[in-house]
Amino acid sequence: MSLHVIIGAGPVGLATARLLAGKGERVRLLSRSGAGPEQDGIARITADANDSDALARHAEGAIALYCCAGPAYHRWPTDWPPLGAALVRAAEASGAVLVTTGNLYGYGQVDGPMTEQLPLRPNSVKGKVRAKLWADALAAHEAGRIRTAEVRGSDYLGAGTISPFNVMVLPKVLAGQRGSMPADLDAPHSWTYVGDVARTLVAVAADENAWGRPWHVPTAPPLSIRALATRAAELAKAPVAQVAKMPSFALRLAGLFDPAAREMIEVQYQLQRPFVLDSSDATAAFGIEPTSTDEALRETIEGLRAPAAR
């Protein structure tokens, strides 16, 4: 049994911990809350990932260090840089390969599907933050200080995941009400299943030929927001989905009171035009076929309904 250390007990961290423990591996799941599943093989540890010395101690003897953490959306510029630096220092001290859960913000606005070969040309503050994190980790890798890779996905589906669709549209659809989003409702959009993020993180960590580059999570063919809402209603046996386009001024008005809404303004390009991820490299390299959108939606719906069931 090898030791794996996971930073963050959100949906990605939990899925990765369960996957590894299910394979008989030893897992240390680190978070500020000490949360996590009660499952054989998983040790839940309360820790501050910004403390690189403590992080290195917990990672001692580990073969892999997975960053599945996510600072509050409006605190990315202040909270990500120290966390990224701590992770690099911990990977260097422990010798564990560092595999970070990333996203597509660093590419900025592009025409056509996004591949790993695209240059990072961020057009937002948050995109610049993510691009710098990868650049710093890659520089440490190329200098021989650490071994690292980044795994990037699009908006998540799966139990407990948070995205504009999961927050603004899906609960309304399940309740038979009209949902709205500040988006082109008919533009193709990629939706990544959180379980596939975990599978890709584990595959990349185990393959030394995969290090030193980014990988896109195997992701099902894109669906528009309207089509996704329609299918969700069908799967949930809810009334026919009703989705409307939220006017831009409404998002700006919401941003006066809600920091998360305010932070959405600079990345509106992701929702106002096609936003499609090409994940063919990872499928070819690791043999990971993406989970169907139906299965991912079912889990998302069950996760939303679970609190009511309790």
Side-chain angles (χ1 to χ4, degrees), residues 123-159:
N123 61 339
S124 66
V125 172
K126 287 181 285 297
K128 291 175 183 176
V129 169
R130 292 303 317 215
K132 180 68 162 54
L133 286 172
W134 171 239
D136 289 347
L138 183 59
H141 173 94
E142 292 175 342
R145 294 169 47 208
I146 67 171
R147 300 162 300 159
T148 194
E150 184 167 271
V151 169
R152 300 170 181 165
S154 190
D155 291 285
Y156 289 160
L157 292 175

Side-chain angles (χ1 to χ4, degrees), residues 100 116-117 184 204 206 236 252 255 276 284 295 305:
T100 299
E116 296 94 331
Q117 288 71 44
D184 178 343
V204 169
R252 294 184 181 277
V276 177
E295 185 176 339
R305 286 177 164 173

Side-chain angles (χ1 to χ4, degrees), residues 218-286:
T219 296
L223 276 181
S224 70
I225 292 166
R226 195 188 308 278
L228 192 68
T230 298
R231 188 57 183 149
E234 293 169 350
L235 292 172
K237 301 189 185 315
V240 175
Q242 302 177 62
V243 189
K245 179 171 183 175
M246 178 187 292
S248 299
F249 77 83
L251 179 62
R252 294 184 181 277
L253 182 61
L256 296 176
F257 309 98
D258 182 346
R262 184 164 59 248
E263 292 300 317
M264 284 180 61
I265 295 171
E266 71 165 6
V267 292
Q268 273 292 281
Y269 70 91
Q270 297 180 8
L271 297 173
Q272 299 292 352
R273 53 188 286 124
F275 193 73
V276 177
L277 174 153
D278 180 330
S279 56
S280 54
D281 273 11
T283 293
F286 310 116

Side-chain angles (χ1 to χ4, degrees), residues 12-244:
V12 175
L14 294 178
T16 305
R18 291 189 180 105
L19 177 62
L20 286 165
K23 294 175 177 287
E25 301 291 283
R26 294 166 53 217
V27 176
R28 289 178 184 160
L29 180 60
L30 277 58
S31 67
R32 283 195 173 98
S33 65
E38 294 184 4
Q39 181 175 337
D40 288 346
I42 299 176
R44 297 167 295 174
I45 297 173
T46 302
D48 182 356
N50 286 320
D51 184 340
S52 59
D53 291 336
L55 193 55
R57 287 196 300 272
H58 289 302
E60 187 174 351
I63 65 170
L65 181 62
Y66 305 85
C67 176
C68 303
Y73 201 46
H74 65 289
R75 294 190 58 85
W76 281 20
T78 56
D79 291 7
W80 261 122
L83 176 56
L87 288 163
V88 168
R89 289 194 296 269
E92 185 172 13
S94 67
V97 60
L98 171 62
V99 186
T100 299
T101 309
N103 56 34
L104 308 176
Y105 285 55
Y107 297 124
Q109 183 172 313
V110 302
D111 294 318
M114 288 167 278
T115 70
E116 296 94 331
Q117 288 71 44
L118 282 176
L120 295 182
R121 292 175 178 165
N123 61 339
S124 66
V125 172
K126 287 181 285 297
K128 291 175 183 176
V129 169
R130 292 303 317 215
K132 180 68 162 54
L133 286 172
W134 171 239
D136 289 347
L138 183 59
H141 173 94
E142 292 175 342
R145 294 169 47 208
I146 67 171
R147 300 162 300 159
T148 194
E150 184 167 271
V151 169
R152 300 170 181 165
S154 190
D155 291 285
Y156 289 160
L157 292 175
T161 57
I162 296 174
S163 73
F165 177 83
N166 294 349
V167 172
M168 305 174 78
V169 174
L170 188 54
K172 296 288 189 181
V173 168
L174 298 182
Q177 302 170 359
R178 186 175 69 173
S180 64
M181 272 183 68
D184 178 343
L185 303 177
D186 298 303
H189 196 97
S190 289
W191 311 93
T192 299
Y193 173 54
V194 71
D196 293 336
V197 181
R199 289 200 292 159
T200 309
L201 287 168
V202 171
V204 169
D207 185 353
E208 64 181 36
N209 294 318
W211 304 340
R213 60 159 287 180
W215 294 91
H216 288 173
V217 179
T219 296
L223 276 181
S224 70
I225 292 166
R226 195 188 308 278
L228 192 68
T230 298
R231 188 57 183 149
E234 293 169 350
L235 292 172
K237 301 189 185 315
V240 175
Q242 302 177 62
V243 189

